Structure formats: structure tokens, C-alpha cells
Amino acid sequence: MEMVLLTALGVGGATVIGAVIGFAFKNLTHRFSDIVLAFAAGVMLAAAVFGLIIPSLEGGGKYAVLITIAGVFVGAVCLNLVDKLVPHIHNLVKPEASEGNNKSLSKVLLFVIAIGIHNLPEGIAAGVGFGSGDITRAFIIALGIALQNIPEGMVIIAPMLAAGVSKKKTFICALITGLVEVVGTLLGYFAVKIGEFILPFALAFAGGTMLYVISDEMIPETHAHGSERGATYALLIGFCFMMAMDFLLG
């Protein structure tokens, strides 16, 4: 349990690390941010496939394929419903967030809320990994999510400061989004431990949420500022890096 808690704090803390970097380097170029985010997308893609979806297939028994497909789509549909309640991240990281007016501040705060809500299923994915009992694979999933949280924390800072939010309140907002991930990790872990028979579906569900975030949020954002080629190769590098980690440590 201590290991799960420490990992949860590490996954959530990655957002805070990103926020600190965001404070230190307020004028990071879109190209740099896109490359980092694309690398994280590749890492998450490999973690979703090798750490969640394949284990779901392996543990699903006679109806493994149906269970896994159902879990993936239910996870994706759940995040789709969330997206209907909060704005898309790639619709909010816009230059107008730097104008410093009230309208801009509202958009930035909605952006932060969107990140916080999306952190919950990511945390659940990390917790489900630990609930499966495969500690090595769980660490790989958690690493993939943590790497994605760093650029996510970075992109919170500059728009909030530009919109007139104080440094203290900006940091608190980043901290809260990280704490949401800690809560999600613990929820995922205990849910699987309480009902281990749902593990294959839970793994696929977590994998589906990650695939949805990658396709609907991360890839469009990394291709929105003219860095498509670099972002594509960064994603491939991130995917191969995590694939190698899974193979060597698995």
C-alpha cells in the first residue's frame, strides 16, 4: 500500500514539477512544448497498449476479446461525456489566453478545470495497474502518465499568469490538478482490490481512457502549431522508449 501511495504522489507530483518548470521558463516555444507533449503521448500510447490492453486480453478468459473491446469503448465514451461538460484542452490553449481580460481569465480557469477532470481517469489507470498485482508493469504505466503530466503542468502556468492570476494562486491550481490524480490512483487501486473479477474490464477501461486522451487531446494539440513532423517523430520515440522499457523490465 505504501508503494501505491508513493507512486500516486509521484504521478500527481509530476504536474507540480511541470508547473515549476512553467514558472522558470514562461516563454517556452510552441515547438518545444509540442515535442515534449508528443513524446509523452507516445509513452502513454505504449503504456496503454502493453500495460493495460494486452493484460486485459490475457486475463479475460473465454470472452477476453469482447470484454477488452467493451472496456476500451466504455472508457472512451466516459471521457467523451466529460468533454461535453468541460472544454477541450486544445480549444483553450490559445493566444487569446494571454490578453489578461476577464473573458480570458474565464477561459483559462475552464482550461484548468478540464485538466483536473481529465487527470482523474489517468490516475485511475495508474491505480488499476497496481491492482493487477504486476508491480513492474504498474510502474511503467505510472511512468507514462507522469511523463505526460509534466508538459500538462507546464502549459497551465503562462496563460494563468498572463490572465492576471497571482503566482501563489496559479501554483495552488496546479497543485490541485495533481491531487486529483492522486485520488484517482487510490480509487483505481481499491476498486480492483474490492472486485478483482472486474480486473480485465478495468484494465481495458483505463486503456480506453488513455487512448481517448491521446487521440482527442494530445495529438491535435501537438499538430496545431506547425510542428507536425517533429511531433510525429517525438511520439514514435516515446512509444519505442516505453515499449523497450516494458520488454526489458517485464
Side-chain angles (χ1 to χ4, degrees):
M1 181 58 200
E2 290 182 5
M3 189 179 301
V4 177
L5 183 58
L6 288 174
T7 303
L9 292 173
V11 169
T15 302
V16 179
I17 292 172
V20 172
I21 296 173
F23 276 116
F25 303 97
K26 301 183 186 68
N27 298 316
L28 291 174
T29 64
H30 268 308
R31 177 176 175 79
F32 178 80
S33 298
D34 290 344
I35 295 299
V36 173
L37 190 60
F39 176 83
V43 168
M44 283 186 66
L45 180 59
V49 173
F50 297 110
L52 294 169
I53 294 174
I54 290 179
S56 173
L57 288 168
E58 292 173 346
K62 182 178 179 180
Y63 300 105
V65 173
L66 292 177
I67 291 172
T68 300
I69 291 174
V72 167
F73 273 93
V74 171
V77 168
C78 283
L79 277 199
N80 189 29
L81 293 175
V82 169
D83 274 340
K84 291 183 180 300
L85 300 177
V86 296
H88 290 266
I89 289 176
H90 53 261
N91 284 339
L92 288 167
V93 188
K94 299 265 190 191
E96 64 260 30
S98 63
E99 294 172 6
N101 52 33
N102 291 333
K103 183 178 179 181
S104 172
L105 179 58
S106 297
K107 290 172 71 67
V108 170
L109 291 178
L110 285 172
F111 167 47
V112 174
I113 293 171
I115 286 181
I117 291 176
H118 282 84
N119 277 353
L120 184 63
E122 291 174 11
I124 290 173
V128 166
F130 276 99
S132 70
D134 189 336
I135 302 301
T136 300
R137 189 160 275 169
F139 273 125
I140 291 173
I141 295 169
L143 175 62
I145 296 171
L147 287 174
Q148 183 260 337
N149 284 345
I150 293 175
E152 202 169 72
M154 290 166 56
V155 302
I156 292 176
I157 302 305
M160 292 193 71
L161 293 177
V165 182
S166 69
K167 290 183 178 180
K168 181 179 179 180
K169 290 182 179 179
T170 297
F171 182 77
I172 291 174
C173 286
L175 181 62
I176 291 173
T177 62
L179 289 175
V180 170
E181 201 126 23
V182 175
V183 172
T185 302
L186 296 176
L187 282 175
Y189 174 75
F190 285 117
V192 172
K193 283 300 181 185
I194 291 172
E196 293 188 2
F197 63 92
I198 68 167
L199 178 59
F201 180 84
L203 288 169
F205 177 92
T209 63
M210 291 176 71
L211 291 177
Y212 184 94
V213 169
I214 293 164
S215 177
D216 192 67
E217 309 269 351
M218 299 175 76
I219 292 177
E221 175 61 23
T222 62
H223 284 61
H225 312 109
S227 304
E228 297 90 346
R229 187 64 55 83
T232 296
Y233 281 109
L235 184 147
L236 292 174
I237 292 170
F239 181 88
C240 291
F241 168 77
M242 189 54 66
M243 177 183 66
M245 290 279 289
D246 183 79
F247 179 77
L248 295 173
L249 299 178

